[in-house]
Amino acid sequence: QVQLVESGGGLVQAGGSLRLSCAASGRTFTSLTVGWFRQAPGKEREFVAAINWSGQIKTYTNSVKGRFTISRDNAKNTVYLQMNSLKPEDTAVYYCAASSYNAYIVQSSYHVWGQGTQVTVSP
C-alpha cells in the first residue's frame, strides 16, 4: 500500500511563499493521481490542486490559480505544491492524497491520505 507524508508547512507573512512536499512510497506510485486538499478549523475540506500520473495534466481550484503550482518527480517519489503570493485565506491544514482514478476534484476517489501539514499566513 502506498503511503504519503506531507512536509514544508509553516508560518509565513502575506505575499510570501512556501513549498509543500508529499513524499510517497509503494510500487504503484507512478500510476497514481495525486491531489492536494486543505481544511481550515470549522470548515469542510476542499480541493486545491491535482496532477495525473504522468504530470501532463494539472488542475487547480479557482482561488489558487496563478499562485500555486503542482508538480511531481516520480523518480524521487515526491509531489510538490509551490505556493506563492500567499493570502491569509490560504491558512489551513494541507493534505495530499492519492487516487487510482482521474476524477481529480472528487474526494471520494482518493484512497490514500497523508497526515497533513499546517500552513498559516499572517496579514
Side-chain angles (χ1 to χ4, degrees), residues 5-43:
V5 179
E6 304 95 333
S7 63
L11 175 64
V12 65
Q13 293 185 23
S17 298
L18 287 172
R19 188 181 73 164
L20 305 184
S21 296
C22 176
S25 62
R27 302 186 190 97
T28 62
F29 173 73
T30 58
S31 67
L32 299 179
T33 296
V34 175
W36 285 96
F37 299 80
R38 65 188 182 187
Q39 186 170 30
K43 304 293 184 180

Side-chain angles (χ1 to χ4, degrees), residues 40-62:
K43 304 293 184 180
E44 292 293 312
R45 186 168 58 199
E46 65 173 346
F47 170 79
V48 177
I51 187 167
N52 80 327
W53 68 272
S54 68
Q56 297 181 96
I57 301 174
K58 304 173 183 179
T59 188
Y60 304 89
T61 192
N62 286 336

Side-chain angles (χ1 to χ4, degrees), residues 51-110:
I51 187 167
N52 80 327
W53 68 272
S54 68
Q56 297 181 96
I57 301 174
K58 304 173 183 179
T59 188
Y60 304 89
T61 192
N62 286 336
S63 64
V64 308
K65 287 181 179 177
R67 299 189 297 120
F68 291 11
T69 303
I70 190 170
S71 62
R72 70 191 299 165
D73 186 339
N74 287 339
K76 295 182 178 180
N77 293 319
T78 302
V79 172
Y80 304 97
L81 185 68
Q82 179 66 46
M83 306 187 296
N84 298 326
S85 301
L86 283 162
K87 304 174 180 180
E89 51 262 46
D90 295 318
T91 295
V93 176
Y94 284 70
Y95 300 89
C96 66
S99 173
S100 299
Y101 309 98
N102 292 323
Y104 299 114
I105 68 171
V106 181
Q107 294 190 36
S108 61
S109 73
Y110 291 85

